[in-house]
Amino acid sequence: MPSLLVPDCLLLFIILLPSSFSFFHSYHLTSPQSFHLRSDVLRSTSSSDPTRPSYPIDPLPIRIGHGYDIHRMSPIETSLQPLIIAGIEITHPPQKYLDTTGQYTGTPNTIYPTILGCEAHSDGDVVYHSIVDSIFGALTLPDIGQVFVDTDPRWKGANSEQFMVYAKEVMDRYGYELGNVDVTLILERPKVAGFKPGMKDNIVRLLGTNEGRVNVKARTHEGVDSTGQLRAVECHVVLTLVLKA
């Protein structure tokens, strides 16, 4: 019986075809603002992934992380996007914004009643950004700006929830779960007391935890500096990660 000869190039195609289909199936392409690559495929195939350092991440029983973020606030006609905090749009009546240069009123140092928005490459969610940074910090990984670079067009106007989802995946990858997280939001105005329960619910959902492990506090800046003058919003986060049993 004559032997069957298969050209080398065809044999290689047959071998690689199944894995090729699997690889391309892992991509989820949508609009530029919601562009997403399934992170487990993207990160596992990237030799430059900042969350996979060359040094070992020791399995310590408890790890502590701190995160901080600040974003400029400005009238909505300048920011071009609303104020989003912990996934909640902070709707509010016009605020008394001091127009120091006269850009909006024509007269310097005049009060300009306006809806405020956040200036940022993504949606500028200071709470989500601070939590992500605290998770990366607890695991001795690079900061959020190195993982989600602010010049990358994929993150232009992006919903920061996807950053939280990825940070949770990284935490799981190294065998950790949330111990607890304490959020301190610093914002002169608009007032956010009525929005805090929704913020907490979002954090609980995204980190796969319960209400007894998540705290959200808010305070003003007593009129001091840019935050006290309604020109910025800040956030500090402290959290613990606990090694899974």
Side-chain angles (χ1 to χ4, degrees):
M1 180 178 179
S3 60
L4 178 63
L5 298 179
V6 180
D8 291 345
C9 61
L10 180 57
L11 181 60
L12 181 61
F13 175 78
I14 293 171
I15 293 172
L16 293 180
L17 183 60
S19 59
S20 298
F21 280 139
S22 176
F23 178 78
F24 285 108
H25 180 70
S26 299
Y27 280 76
H28 172 60
L29 302 179
T30 57
S31 65
Q33 289 190 355
S34 60
F35 177 83
H36 178 65
L37 295 175
R38 207 181 77 190
S39 54
D40 57 340
V41 172
L42 175 65
R43 302 308 184 185
S44 65
T45 58
S46 172
S47 59
S48 59
D49 177 9
T51 68
R52 296 180 184 272
S54 58
Y55 53 85
I57 306 298
D58 294 336
L60 304 176
I62 298 176
R63 287 178 171 270
I64 301 172
H66 172 260
Y68 169 78
D69 196 26
I70 181 171
H71 280 293
R72 187 186 303 272
M73 291 198 307
S74 62
I76 195 71
E77 57 263 44
T78 296
S79 66
L80 302 179
Q81 61 181 6
L83 182 61
I84 304 291
I85 301 177
I88 303 292
E89 181 176 344
I90 308 302
T91 55
H92 57 276
Q95 302 294 305
K96 295 179 179 179
Y97 182 84
L98 181 62
D99 183 12
T100 57
T101 65
Q103 176 182 354
Y104 305 101
T105 62
T107 305
N109 297 315
T110 301
I111 295 298
Y112 176 55
T114 182
I115 301 299
L116 295 171
C118 182
E119 296 184 31
H121 182 67
S122 65
D123 62 6
D125 193 321
V126 292
V127 169
Y128 282 177
H129 294 180
S130 298
I131 292 175
V132 170
D133 234 7
S134 62
I135 291 172
F136 290 163
L139 294 168
T140 68
L141 299 173
D143 61 65
I144 186 175
Q146 292 176 265
V147 179
F148 300 103
V149 182
D150 66 6
T151 55
D152 190 329
R154 289 179 298 175
W155 314 132
K156 179 64 175 175
N159 183 341
S160 294
E161 179 168 317
Q162 60 192 307
F163 304 156
M164 288 279 283
V165 169
Y166 183 65
K168 173 66 163 55
E169 291 177 7
V170 172
M171 184 170 66
D172 290 340
R173 181 201 308 160
Y174 289 108
Y176 284 90
E177 62 184 357
L178 182 71
N180 73 297
V181 58
D182 188 25
V183 175
T184 303
L185 176 67
I186 308 172
L187 176 68
E188 193 71 19
R189 290 192 303 272
K191 300 302 182 183
V192 297
F195 297 102
K196 286 165 60 179
M199 296 179 188
K200 181 169 182 172
D201 288 345
N202 283 343
I203 296 168
V204 168
R205 171 177 57 85
L206 290 170
L207 295 184
T209 187
N210 61 66
E211 293 182 348
R213 297 187 179 216
V214 175
N215 190 43
V216 177
K217 310 188 303 292
R219 56 156 298 156
T220 71
H221 213 241
E222 302 293 340
V224 178
D225 298 335
S226 60
T227 301
Q229 296 171 5
L230 281 67
R231 298 181 182 281
V233 54
E234 301 177 68
C235 183
H236 286 271
V237 166
V238 177
L239 62 68
T240 59
L241 301 183
V242 179
L243 194 64
K244 294 179 182 179

